Structures are given as C-alpha cells and as structure tokens.
C-alpha cells in the first residue's frame, strides 16, 4: 500500500516512534501528513505546514496565543493532538475572504488593538468564535440570569466581552483596545 492510500494506517519508523497518516482540512485545503502521534495541531501547523500565524506561547493551554477554530469552535491548538483533529480547522491565515481581511482583523488595526502582536492571531480567532457563541445565545459567567437559558444573552457589553475573551492573555495589556475592536465589529 502506498503512502497516499494508507489513510489513517499507523506505522513505526526505525526509531520506534508511533506515527499515523492524518488528513487535515485547514483553511479549506486538505493536507495529508504522516505525523508522530504526539504531534499537537499547533506543531503540525507551524512545523509541517508552515502556517506560522498561530503562535506558540505557553504550550500549556494557559495563554490563548495558539487559538484556532476547529469545527467553528475555538480551541487551544497546543492541547489538541493533530491525529484526533477530524473537523475543519481555520487559522488566522484562513479568516480573510475574497482578498480582504476579516472584519475583526480590520478592527484590530483601526482600534490599535495590538502592540507586539504576538497574541493577536489567537485573540482574533477567539473573538470570531466568541461572537458566534454570543449570537447563538450561549451565556457567559456574567450574562444576566433573567434571560431564558440558551436564549439571547443580550447586548455584548465590555464586561461581557472581557469575560468571554478571558482565556486569551495579552502581555502588552492592549485589552481596552481589543474590547473596542470587538465592539466596533458588533456595531
């Protein structure tokens, strides 16, 4: 059986490392790779596919710099094994459409919502999913309880946005401008 036909067949190279063939749909393109079973999605993106927009921050799921969208949900790619990823992945490189930046990318620039820019790809991917979650009626910890469960959480206030974005850390402290950028898109 040749490599292309192997699908998810497992193999053991001479060094004893367990590997698998994986098919990853990333930013609309299918990538066939043979990876060490321990390879994170983050390392697959950066080291095997040269998609370096997703950043490696803490490598422990604590900072959010590696946030990508998996099946439309935000995920810390440093905690997700590439061999388990069977849903479409969207990275910061895949958010733009028709040769134009995503509205959140434009808002981050216009609101000066970045300083060093290291956390920005993760912040933007997280914000995209956060807006989808809010639009779908998913409450947060600070959503007023008077609304129906699973119903409209109400307007996205700065407090609501800060709570929903709390998994993404900015060492430069651009939080106020990040909230402004998200509010600009919401408006």
């Amino acid at each position: 059986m040749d490599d292309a036909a192997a699908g998810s067949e497992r193999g053991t190279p001479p060094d004893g490392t367990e590997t698998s063939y994986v098919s990853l749909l990333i930013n609309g393109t299918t990538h066939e790779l043979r990876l060490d079973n321990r390879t994170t999605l983050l390392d697959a993106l950066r080291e095997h596919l040269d998609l370096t927009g997703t950043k490696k921050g803490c490598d422990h799921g604590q900072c959010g710099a590696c946030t990508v969208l998996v099946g439309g949900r935000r995920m810390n790619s440093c905690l997700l094994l590439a061999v388990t990823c069977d849903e479409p992945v969207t990275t910061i490189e895949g958010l733009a459409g028709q040769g134009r930046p995503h509205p959140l990318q434009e808002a981050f620039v216009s609101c000066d919502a970045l300083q060093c820019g290291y956390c920005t790809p993760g912040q933007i991917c997280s914000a995209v999913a956060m807006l989808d979650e809010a639009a779908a009626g998913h409450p947060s910890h600070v959503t007023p309880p008077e609304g129906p469960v699973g119903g409209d959480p109400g307007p996205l206030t700065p407090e609501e946005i800060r709570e929903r974005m709390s998994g993404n850390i900015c060492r430069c402290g651009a939080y106020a401008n990040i909230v402004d950028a998200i509010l600009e898109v919401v408006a």
Side-chain angles (χ1 to χ4, degrees):
M1 176 182 292
D2 67 8
D3 285 354
S8 62
E9 177 183 322
R10 291 184 174 191
T12 306
D15 69 358
T17 304
E18 289 286 325
T19 63
S20 294
Y21 287 98
V22 296
S23 178
L24 300 171
L25 179 58
I26 301 174
N27 300 329
T29 302
T30 301
H31 301 273
E32 305 288 336
L33 302 169
R34 183 173 183 152
L35 299 172
D36 180 320
N37 292 343
R38 301 166 295 178
T39 303
T40 63
L41 178 59
L42 173 62
D43 288 338
L45 292 170
R46 293 184 58 79
E47 297 173 15
H48 297 275
L49 298 173
D50 201 30
L51 293 169
T52 57
T54 304
K55 303 300 184 212
K56 184 178 278 196
C58 66
D59 212 20
H60 290 92
Q62 297 174 345
C63 73
C66 68
T67 304
V68 297
L69 305 176
V70 179
R73 295 177 314 277
R74 49 187 162 167
M75 301 271 185
N76 290 333
S77 61
C78 72
L79 297 179
L80 184 62
L81 294 177
V83 296
T84 67
C85 192
D86 58 358
E87 294 185 84
V89 176
T90 303
T91 67
I92 191 70
E93 293 94 343
L95 286 179
Q98 301 172 355
R100 190 173 166 86
H102 187 279
L104 275 164
Q105 290 171 313
E106 291 177 335
F108 266 64
V109 172
S110 71
C111 292
D112 196 25
L114 55 116
Q115 287 183 32
C116 79
Y118 198 81
C119 73
T120 305
Q123 295 275 1
I124 292 172
C125 284
S126 187
V128 167
M130 182 270 299
L131 291 175
D132 289 344
E133 292 163 10
H138 298 273
S140 80
H141 180 70
V142 299
T143 303
E146 50 276 357
V149 175
D152 182 8
L156 282 175
T157 63
E159 179 185 33
E160 186 79 31
I161 291 170
R162 283 190 294 275
E163 171 63 26
R164 290 174 182 267
M165 292 292 293
S166 63
N168 292 83
I169 297 171
C170 173
R171 289 186 263 184
C172 300
Y175 297 114
N177 294 355
I178 290 170
V179 171
D180 289 346
I182 294 169
L183 285 170
E184 181 177 294
V185 170
V186 169

